[in-house]
Amino acid sequence: MSFIGVDIGGTKALAVRVESGEVVASERFLLDRAMSTIDSLAVAVEKVADGDVRAIGVGIAGLVRTADGQFIWGPHVAGTEIPIGSELATRFGVPVAVDNDANAAAHAEFAIGAGAGYSNGLLVTLGTGIGGAIVASGEVYRGQGFAGEWGHTSFEQGGILCDCGRRGCWETRASGPALARLAREVVAANPDGSLARSLGDRTITGESVIAVADTGEETARSLVTEVGQAFGIGLSDLIVVLDPEIVVVGGGLGSVGESIIAPARRVVADSLHGGNLRIAPVIQVAALGESAGAVGAALIARERTNV
Ligand SMILES: [Zn+2]
């Protein structure tokens, strides 16, 4: 008996097959932009399906009505109001659970990953932007469906234009693109400087700047610290509001680990009111990496079928 989980974003998808709690098959692939979201999901399921599939779970980037598996809207997904749950159930003849991708990832991290054993915590994903999910009393808290989109909280008035169309959002200061932008400014101002030489021919991305920082290059280190501190300022706000036991940091940049999380952790430690008299949450790197969303979707599918 197997459960299939698919994590689908704007450009790529990851499908896994889970049997007896273990991932036994995994396929990552780029989406064919000419294909509808439903057809892409069907392709993903077929890539890993084998034998007795009991249920399918889908984690998708955007607003989802979990009751009937309707995808409402997402900034990077083609189409709106897509009946993913009913369409896939008809095609494959099994129950289908659909959830937001960060909710699915949180489900996995708190079931079998870095958050296992904690009932109240946050998953905060740091990558192209900042997203995440809230786990309260062991359940993912969804609000009306969009809870956890804290990358778009107001970090500064005015500020840099965000992908969402507003200015000054938290993720304009703390994300892969934010770090790359800082590095590009330094390289443009000082094309023969140490950072430019260290980056060499590499494309300037958050990850490449962190890689240079980890070799000890001072400018890169200070830029990574600056972005880590901005991440920590926003995290402090989340912690003040929600008082979690643990913050699990995932996403492409967060998964890189201590070089960016350590400065954030210091900011949090210095900024919480009550200081040493309260217990600050554990801030820890996610355990499941990029497979968290797909694995979480499979686990949600399994729970919906009560097996
Ligand atoms: Zn924004």
Side-chain angles (χ1 to χ4, degrees):
M1 187 187 305
S2 62
F3 299 89
I4 290 178
V6 183
D7 183 4
I8 186 165
T11 57
K12 58 191 175 183
L14 172 65
V16 299
R17 189 173 83 246
V18 172
E19 294 177 3
S20 306
E22 299 284 329
V23 175
V24 293
S26 175
E27 284 273 348
R28 182 181 306 281
F29 63 100
L30 290 175
L31 298 177
D32 178 349
R33 287 179 176 272
M35 213 178 255
S36 73
T37 298
I38 292 283
D39 285 341
S40 296
L41 284 165
V43 167
V45 170
E46 280 156 7
K47 279 181 184 288
V48 294
D50 184 22
D52 178 22
V53 174
R54 185 67 194 264
I56 297 167
V58 174
I60 185 164
L63 178 59
V64 173
R65 197 167 65 212
T66 52
D68 61 355
Q70 175 108 338
F71 173 79
I72 305 297
W73 172 86
H76 307 297
V77 175
T80 59
E81 300 192 309
I82 307 169
I84 291 174
S86 58
E87 288 270 344
L88 288 186
T90 301
R91 288 197 197 194
F92 293 99
V94 296
V96 177
V98 188
D99 209 330
N100 169 269
D101 58 346
N103 290 347
H107 200 89
E109 286 290 348
F110 281 80
I112 58 173
Y118 293 91
S119 300
N120 297 293
L122 308 177
L123 170 71
V124 182
T125 56
L126 177 63
T128 309
I130 303 175
I134 301 162
V135 174
S137 303
E139 300 284 329
V140 173
Y141 171 82
R142 295 183 172 81
Q144 294 188 61
F146 235 3
E149 296 282 333
W150 33 57
H152 303 287
T153 49
S154 293
F155 191 75
E156 57 188 336
Q157 284 208 314
I160 296 162
L161 185 64
C162 181
D163 285 344
C164 75
R166 297 169 65 238
R167 283 186 181 275
C169 295
W170 181 23
E171 68 181 41
T172 66
R173 291 292 182 187
S175 60
L179 180 53
R181 186 184 61 241
L182 292 174
R184 274 197 303 273
E185 287 168 6
V186 170
V187 167
N190 197 355
D192 299 320
S194 168
L195 178 61
R197 288 200 313 273
S198 298
L199 281 163
D201 295 336
R202 273 181 281 187
T203 308
I204 300 179
T205 63
E207 283 83 353
S208 66
V209 177
I210 287 181
V212 170
D214 286 346
T215 67
E217 201 283 324
E218 285 300 325
T219 307
R221 284 179 61 160
S222 73
L223 297 182
V224 172
T225 299
E226 179 178 339
V227 169
Q229 287 171 338
F231 184 54
I233 291 169
L235 271 190
S236 301
D237 288 346
L238 298 184
I239 291 165
V240 166
V241 173
L242 295 162
D243 192 25
E245 297 160 357
I246 183 169
V247 177
V248 177
V249 181
L253 208 59
S255 301
V256 169
E258 286 305 306
S259 42
I260 199 139
I261 290 177
R265 203 183 273 126
R266 284 194 291 275
V267 167
V268 169
D270 290 344
S271 67
L272 288 186
H273 65 298
N276 294 333
L277 298 173
R278 68 183 289 175
I279 300 169
V282 178
I283 300 175
Q284 196 168 313
V285 178
L288 301 174
E290 289 190 290
S291 67
V295 172
L299 296 179
I300 291 170
R302 187 177 69 182
E303 284 169 23
R304 295 276 175 89
T305 55
N306 290 319
V307 175

